[in-house]
Amino acid sequence: MPPYKSTACAKMHLMIRVVFMGSPDFALPTLHALAGHYQVLGVVTQPDRPSGRGRGLKPPPVKTVALDLGLAVMQPEKLRAPEAMEQLRLWAPDLIVVAAFGQILRPDVLALPPHGCINLHASLLPRWRGAAPIQASILAGDAQTGITIMKMDQGLDTGAILSQRAIPIDAEDTAGSLSEKLSQLGADLLVESLPRYLSGELQPQAQDESQATYAPMLKKEEGRLDFTRPAQDLARRVRAFNPWPGAFFEWSGQMLKVHRAHAGTGNAAAGQRLIYREQPAVGAGSGLLVLDEVQPAGKKSMSGKSFLAGARSWED
């Protein structure tokens, strides 16, 4: 991050009162960046949710980090709840910063801070508005993606753009690895952009609606692999759905999770199991899906070769 132009400028921005809204790991670099540069009045995040086999309550990552930083935390089931709005008004923020919060901001929240509400979105808007932009960019075979910092309005990711930064999507990138890259990129870009925005130097620019695409929320069942699709498409799905919802198909009456795979050359009937260069593979609509890393039901993740050693009936 470049240094501030003057001590006075630094002090001015430290006086800006910020409320942060976010929930998952993606939001953590932004929270750390804000806490290091601005006065963070409080953090709004999702409620603790049941998790794991014991279904015990697990806090969202942002809550854990916020408490470690000594910040006040609010976890409303719905932001429209009267007590949530009352707390926001008591905090009286100059600016609200949002990163993967998980709730829609109502007009009364958008209108509350004098400098508005700023959102970090994990795509190059207007491409891939919606809940799953990282997965959508991999599924589509996009060569690049990036971070957009925008001033929020009442639409779904339709707000005017303040700044953007692109990065390439590597051939081995999963949704998990790409999310990590974008989360740090977003934090860095925010810290660079906010002083220019708050001073009026950076003016919001309207999105080009003719270029808008949408990335809806993913469902668990979307991870089921359909072997009538081309192998290249299936390989992208494996990457896009790692870590969630995860790619899988049924084998020997149980679910076989596929953590890593690639497209191989060759011909086989869609769904036909075979061995390709000492690795398990499945025939696709065109080509073969070669399974590099799998996880059989009730077992740990393993390489395709290790899986074959115990999968005597793979080619049956």
Side-chain angles (χ1 to χ4, degrees):
M1 185 203 72
Y4 289 115
K5 294 180 180 178
S6 68
T7 302
C9 183
K11 289 182 178 179
M12 180 190 76
H13 289 107
L14 281 170
M15 292 172 61
I16 294 292
R17 297 158 55 86
V18 178
V19 163
F20 177 69
M21 298 183 179
S23 297
D25 288 328
F26 178 86
L28 297 182
T30 298
L31 174 56
H32 278 292
L34 285 172
H37 293 84
Y38 295 91
Q39 182 184 358
V40 179
L41 306 169
V43 171
V44 187
T45 189
Q46 294 283 8
D48 296 0
R49 304 291 189 196
S51 177
R53 292 184 178 180
R55 306 306 291 164
L57 290 179
K58 182 179 180 180
V62 160
K63 176 185 179 180
T64 303
V65 171
L67 293 177
D68 287 344
L69 292 171
L71 301 174
V73 175
M74 178 170 63
Q75 295 177 272
E77 192 68 46
K78 296 293 183 183
L79 200 53
R80 64 173 177 267
E83 58 271 21
M85 283 304 305
E86 181 180 357
Q87 181 59 68
L88 285 176
R89 292 190 180 99
L90 286 173
W91 277 335
D94 299 309
L95 176 74
I96 292 176
V97 176
V98 182
F101 174 44
Q103 295 189 35
I104 300 295
L105 270 57
R106 292 160 54 89
D108 50 355
V109 178
L110 295 173
L112 181 64
H115 290 288
C117 299
I118 302 302
N119 182 50
L120 279 76
H121 185 77
S123 81
L124 298 173
L125 290 171
R127 187 164 178 80
W128 304 130
R129 295 172 178 173
I134 296 174
Q135 293 87 344
S137 64
I138 295 175
L139 284 172
D142 291 353
Q144 67 173 10
T145 185
I147 284 287
T148 298
I149 296 177
M150 66 175 177
K151 187 169 185 180
M152 299 175 72
D153 60 17
Q154 295 183 39
L156 181 62
D157 301 324
T158 56
I161 294 171
L162 294 175
S163 58
Q164 291 184 314
R165 185 162 295 163
I167 59 170
I169 299 177
D170 295 337
E172 299 299 319
D173 266 329
T174 65
S177 67
L178 196 53
S179 178
E180 287 183 17
K181 295 177 186 179
L182 290 172
S183 66
Q184 188 58 57
L185 181 72
D188 294 342
L189 184 59
L190 180 74
V191 171
E192 291 178 25
S193 302
L194 273 185
R196 297 175 58 216
Y197 166 67
L198 293 169
S199 68
E201 178 188 346
L202 195 60
Q203 291 297 313
Q205 303 295 318
Q207 295 186 35
D208 182 352
E209 291 294 326
S210 69
Q211 300 299 310
T213 57
Y214 182 63
M217 185 176 295
L218 295 174
K219 300 177 181 178
K220 178 67 177 177
E221 186 59 26
E222 292 182 63
R224 184 182 298 276
L225 296 175
D226 176 2
F227 289 103
T228 64
R229 294 175 177 268
Q232 289 283 4
D233 178 76
L234 292 172
R236 285 197 297 266
R237 296 179 81 81
V238 171
R239 291 166 48 220
F241 296 155
N242 181 349
W244 198 92
F248 64 92
F249 65 96
E250 290 183 4
W251 171 69
S252 194
Q254 293 185 311
M255 183 174 69
L256 182 66
K257 297 179 181 178
V258 183
H259 296 310
R260 292 189 303 112
H262 69 273
T265 57
N267 294 305
Q272 178 185 344
R273 299 188 303 274
L274 65 153
I275 297 175
Y276 176 83
R277 296 179 181 175
E278 301 181 346
Q279 288 185 269
V282 185
S286 62
L288 306 173
L289 184 69
V290 185
L291 310 182
D292 299 308
E293 183 182 343
V294 298
Q295 184 175 359
K299 297 184 179 181
K300 294 183 178 180
S301 180
M302 62 186 73
S303 69
K305 289 184 179 181
S306 296
F307 167 73
L308 270 185
R312 304 296 183 186
S313 60
W314 176 250
E315 290 186 290
D316 293 351

